[in-house]
Amino acid sequence: MGAGFVSKFRIAAAMRIRVAHLYSDYLNIYADRGNIAVLARRAAWRGHELEVASFSVGDTFRPGDHDLFYVGGGQDREQALVATDLAAKGAALREAVDGGAAVLAVCGGYQLLGRSYRDREGRRLPGVGLFPLETFAGERRMIGDVLLDCSWAGRTLAGFENHAGRTILDDGAEPLGRVVSGFGNDGASGAEGCRVARAVGTYLHGPLLPRNPWFADWVLAQALAHAGGGAPPELAPLPDDLEQDAHEVAARRARERGGRF
Ligand code: GLN
């Protein structure tokens, strides 16, 4: 890497990225917390620091205090234990996103950032209403490897899904990607996830970010944009050979097996 190359990317001053990790004690399956570890490492490789604060039941946060909100997945039981508390944080979270904060929400967390989730026992769990969608649990779980086409980024995402929930996006809602292999939001529409401003929800576990470095950097850039008050910065490229191999392996598995009950 020549001096000119390094200096161009070192222009970006070291930033502190303030992360609010919601319900890490309830919503953390399939190593979802591994996504935080990836963000922390990739931020550090660019001279930035990730500062993670946890918020659980009974905790409150001020809308402008965080650059990135993260919430993982969980079983219906855990979702039922946090849903009312999360819904009560809804106004603050929506105000934070309106203010430019980023969000990454996975599976059970993603479902609860919609308007509601009707779980397998028929309980209607209130949601935050950040994403224009509703979810209801179906009989059969949708389990397996997933491959998405994210045409908005000209990239693919590979991960793993395991959910009973069928998520129905409102008309005009922006999905995260189109299902190439797998079930996605509902096993029928071909849509997966949802995007609103710098907030993204997805069913993709794995954890998601180690095998999708471009998306990890996209999330980081959204958070840095909020921290720095400007546009999402271009991050210095990293030698992601291992991550790319992991992506290819996951993508191949999805093509071979994804989307079958
Ligand atoms: N409990 C939810 C469902 O079954 C979410 C599962 C998850 O987070 N993996 O759909």
Side-chain angles (χ1 to χ4, degrees):
M1 255 191 250
F5 175 92
V6 173
S7 64
K8 169 178 156 209
F9 286 106
R10 211 177 263 148
I11 288 168
M15 304 282 283
R16 186 172 53 106
I17 302 167
R18 302 157 303 165
V19 177
H21 190 170
L22 307 181
Y23 310 104
S24 56
D25 44 356
Y26 290 91
L27 301 179
N28 176 49
I29 52 177
Y30 294 109
D32 285 342
R33 81 172 69 237
N35 289 324
I36 298 272
V38 169
L39 292 171
R41 181 58 37 213
R42 296 184 74 83
W45 281 328
R46 277 76 172 239
H48 303 305
E49 183 211 342
L50 218 70
E51 183 184 276
V52 182
S54 287
F55 296 88
S56 191
V57 174
D59 299 335
T60 57
F61 56 79
R62 285 188 315 189
D65 283 0
H66 300 91
D67 309 305
L68 172 64
F69 292 83
Y70 178 76
V71 57
Q75 304 305 346
D76 286 9
R77 181 180 171 282
E78 279 69 33
Q79 289 174 286
L81 291 171
V82 305
T84 306
D85 184 85
L86 176 54
K89 292 180 170 59
L93 192 54
R94 290 191 304 275
E95 187 181 336
V97 171
D98 290 347
V103 174
L104 178 59
V106 177
C107 207
Y110 161 47
Q111 295 168 337
L112 293 178
L113 294 193
R115 285 188 295 274
S116 70
Y117 170 46
R118 186 171 300 283
D119 71 12
R120 301 189 78 171
E121 289 173 23
R123 289 173 297 196
R124 182 184 178 283
L125 304 182
V128 161
L130 172 69
F131 294 128
L133 56 87
E134 309 251 357
T135 304
F136 64 92
E139 272 316 301
R140 302 184 67 177
R141 299 192 70 80
M142 297 191 277
I143 303 176
D145 298 285
V146 188
L147 182 62
L148 303 182
D149 173 26
C150 301
S151 54
W152 58 275
R155 304 273 194 150
T156 55
L157 277 176
F160 180 81
E161 63 184 331
N162 181 345
H163 53 108
R166 275 83 173 144
T167 292
I168 311 301
L169 298 184
D170 291 1
D171 290 345
E174 196 76 41
L176 171 60
R178 286 275 142 213
V179 174
V180 176
S181 292
F183 295 99
N185 281 345
D186 56 8
S189 66
E192 200 292 319
C194 186
R195 293 192 299 140
V196 169
R198 293 179 179 149
V200 172
T202 178
Y203 274 114
L204 272 58
H205 291 284
L208 171 65
L209 299 183
R211 59 188 85 176
N212 299 287
W214 76 267
F215 188 61
D217 284 353
W218 183 87
V219 172
L220 265 181
Q222 306 311 306
L224 282 165
H226 184 264
E234 193 183 335
L235 300 176
L238 295 170
D240 286 328
D241 308 341
L242 203 55
E243 292 84 350
Q244 289 310 343
D245 290 350
H247 182 84
E248 285 319 312
V249 168
R252 192 172 52 247
R253 268 205 317 248
R255 287 195 186 92
E256 286 160 3
R257 292 188 307 194
R260 297 195 196 96
F261 275 113

